[in-house]
Amino acid sequence: MIIRTVCFLALAGVALAQQPAPLKLTLKDAVNLALKQNPQVILANLNVSQSQQDVAVAKSGLLPQAAGNISETVHRVNLETAIGFSFPGFPQHIGPYEVFQGGVGFNAPIFDLTLWHRYRSSQMGVNAARAQEQTAREESVILVVSQYLGGQRAAAEVQAAQSRVDLAQALYDQAADLQKNGVGTGIDTLRANVELQNEKQRLIVARTQLETSLFALARLLNIEPARELELADQVAFFDTPEVPVDQTLERAYASRPELRQIAIQEQRAELEEKTAADSRLPKLSANGIWLEQGLTLASIIPVYQYQASVDFPLFTGGRIQAERAKAGLALRQLKQQEQEVRNRIALEVKTASAQLEAARSEVTVANLGVQLAHQEVEQARDRFQAGVANNIEVVSAQDALSRANDNQIAALYRYNQSRADLAHAAGQMESLYAK
């Protein structure tokens, strides 16, 4: 029996040693962690890297290209098929014979505006990818902040529920003592016990809500499922960054990355239209080849060929006109999309501002409500202790306190969430919550 107990304790110690310690995160830590390892942010970073490689590819089209070649070929040529008739006295074919050659060839664009426009478009693509990355970062921050605030709200609800359980337990003990001393009645004790069980039920629900909130936060932060999370900002639950009061709609228009991305896409569409138009212009290029060539290795001599050419389209079957029309339609679509985004941003800023003002008033009212509810509980408890009234007043006061606590937590949560919503509407999430 002793050996079995020792083995059990040893295995339990190993299991505890292998379990990682809970990860305690402040709101700022959670935001910075999300910006590092959130999958959507990582994908946006990769898109920026891809667009940078597109610039390198487009740039290579403007530079000379060179390639080396070494070959050994065997030829047997039919003279009759090569010239179309036969010469009397001449053989029908020549060869087989071997040709050895090795050298380099090159080609270089000298004047081609379409290549230059494509290079500029690829550079704009990098800026568009960076704006898209910033959008992903802002969205990641607002999700993490909202989830963290939700976790803090759940933690506050657990704390409030535990406090109400303790109060209900004390009131139940009071009713039981009065009944035992012949002052109270059984119905008073029963009511207090019912209220105690109700508060315990609310405590279970609050704890479950806190656990699920932490699970969702861990998912946003891309943390291993086995790692537990703890909120380090529980004491400073209502201390969130404040959005500057001079924030205006024009500043929101200037800061939101979605508008920057659309503006860049409009520039690229205009450039695509110009590229299609400039494809009618002549294109000047040069190419050449330099080889060491011979029938045998001993007879190799240098040979070369250099050439400059001018190409210009005469008939393209309507391709150029269609490309210009397509770019013009894309530009019109982007203009319409820009107007829709500007209207959405204006609605978000105005809505968040109105909600913030309303939430600030709700907090004031809710704080007063909690104070009054505590006074009601104390007075009802004193009246019940003095035998002036039964505990119906106490139970009613407990219910009022429970509602007041819920209203206070909800009001403070909405106030902080409204701050975050206004920061997101103004494009200031990362600057306020990550620095």
Side-chain angles (χ1 to χ4, degrees), residues 39-152:
Q40 298 303 320
V41 175
I42 294 175
L43 290 175
N45 291 334
L46 293 176
N47 287 335
V48 173
S49 299
Q50 287 181 340
S51 62
Q52 290 173 340
Q53 298 306 313
D54 290 338
V55 173
V57 172
K59 183 179 180 180
S60 68
L62 296 170
L63 301 177
Q65 307 291 315
N69 174 267
I70 299 176
S71 65
E72 177 185 358
T73 58
V74 178
H75 297 270
R76 187 172 187 267
V77 181
N78 189 328
L79 291 178
E80 293 181 359
T81 59
I83 63 177
F85 55 89
S86 60
F87 281 99
F90 281 85
Q92 184 182 14
H93 68 276
I94 58 175
Y97 60 91
E98 292 181 296
V99 175
F100 300 91
Q101 67 178 21
V104 294
F106 76 93
N107 62 79
I110 299 176
F111 178 80
D112 189 343
L113 287 180
T114 60
L115 294 177
W116 172 249
H117 292 330
R118 291 190 180 98
Y119 173 63
R120 290 182 56 200
S121 178
S122 65
Q123 290 179 317
M124 294 178 184
V126 175
N127 296 331
R130 286 174 177 162
Q132 186 177 9
E133 177 199 13
Q134 186 61 36
T135 300
R137 294 173 70 90
E138 289 282 309
E139 293 297 329
S140 176
V141 173
I142 185 61
L143 288 175
V144 170
V145 169
S146 298
Q147 191 60 49
Y148 197 97
L149 293 176
Q152 289 181 318

Side-chain angles (χ1 to χ4, degrees), residues 73-396:
T73 58
V74 178
H75 297 270
R76 187 172 187 267
V77 181
N78 189 328
L79 291 178
E80 293 181 359
T81 59
I83 63 177
F85 55 89
S86 60
F87 281 99
F90 281 85
Q92 184 182 14
H93 68 276
I94 58 175
Y97 60 91
E98 292 181 296
V99 175
F100 300 91
Q101 67 178 21
V104 294
F106 76 93
N107 62 79
I110 299 176
F111 178 80
D112 189 343
L113 287 180
T114 60
L115 294 177
W116 172 249
H117 292 330
R118 291 190 180 98
Y119 173 63
R120 290 182 56 200
S121 178
S122 65
Q123 290 179 317
M124 294 178 184
V126 175
N127 296 331
R130 286 174 177 162
Q132 186 177 9
E133 177 199 13
Q134 186 61 36
T135 300
R137 294 173 70 90
E138 289 282 309
E139 293 297 329
S140 176
V141 173
I142 185 61
L143 288 175
V144 170
V145 169
S146 298
Q147 191 60 49
Y148 197 97
L149 293 176
Q152 289 181 318
R153 176 181 182 177
E157 289 176 346
V158 169
Q159 185 178 1
Q162 183 63 57
S163 177
R164 292 194 300 266
V165 167
D166 296 339
L167 176 61
Q169 183 67 54
L171 294 174
Y172 169 73
D173 294 339
Q174 181 185 17
D177 290 340
L178 292 176
Q179 181 184 4
K180 183 178 179 180
N181 295 325
V183 179
T185 62
I187 190 63
D188 291 334
T189 305
L190 182 60
R191 288 195 198 101
N193 195 11
V194 170
E195 192 68 18
L196 174 60
Q197 303 309 314
N198 290 337
E199 294 299 342
K200 287 182 177 180
Q201 177 76 18
R202 295 189 184 103
L203 178 59
I204 294 173
V205 174
R207 285 175 175 170
T208 304
Q209 182 62 38
L210 175 58
E211 290 182 0
T212 55
S213 297
L214 294 178
F215 295 156
L217 180 60
R219 175 66 182 86
L220 288 175
L221 299 180
N222 200 23
I223 296 175
E224 296 180 359
R227 190 74 181 272
E228 293 184 3
L229 281 183
E230 289 185 4
L231 305 182
D233 280 348
Q234 292 179 356
V235 177
F237 174 45
F238 310 118
D239 184 18
T240 54
E242 184 175 0
V243 181
V245 294
D246 61 341
Q247 191 65 253
T248 62
L249 188 58
E250 291 301 322
R251 289 188 61 184
Y253 287 151
S255 301
R256 286 290 287 265
E258 300 98 314
L259 281 179
R260 292 203 303 271
Q261 182 179 356
I262 292 178
I264 295 171
Q265 290 175 342
E266 290 177 356
Q267 294 176 4
R268 295 188 72 182
E270 293 173 353
L271 194 58
E272 288 293 333
E273 187 175 13
K274 187 173 181 59
T275 301
D278 289 345
S279 63
R280 297 183 182 276
L281 299 177
K283 301 176 183 178
L284 176 62
S285 62
N287 59 76
I289 187 171
W290 185 91
L291 298 171
E292 291 282 350
Q293 190 178 73
L295 296 178
T296 64
L297 293 176
S299 63
I300 286 178
I301 61 172
V303 297
Y304 53 85
Q305 177 182 340
Y306 303 112
Q307 167 183 319
S309 61
V310 178
D311 299 316
F312 48 91
L314 295 177
F315 178 72
T316 61
R319 175 183 58 82
I320 295 177
Q321 185 62 31
E323 288 177 349
R324 294 186 63 182
K326 181 180 178 181
L329 291 173
L331 183 59
R332 290 174 58 186
Q333 288 177 339
L334 290 170
K335 291 289 186 183
Q336 187 65 34
Q337 185 179 355
E338 179 187 8
Q339 185 60 45
E340 192 276 332
V341 172
R342 291 176 72 90
N343 292 338
R344 174 166 56 84
I345 290 174
L347 177 61
E348 291 176 359
V349 170
K350 293 179 180 180
T351 301
S353 299
Q355 290 176 343
L356 182 60
E357 290 299 323
R360 184 180 288 109
S361 300
E362 287 183 30
V363 169
T364 303
V365 175
N367 289 339
L368 179 60
V370 170
Q371 295 176 6
L372 296 176
H374 277 293
Q375 294 177 11
E376 182 182 1
V377 170
E378 291 298 327
Q379 293 181 14
R381 187 175 182 179
D382 292 340
R383 285 169 58 82
F384 178 58
Q385 180 69 31
V388 178
N390 57 25
N391 70 340
I392 293 179
E393 293 183 2
V394 178
V395 173
S396 299

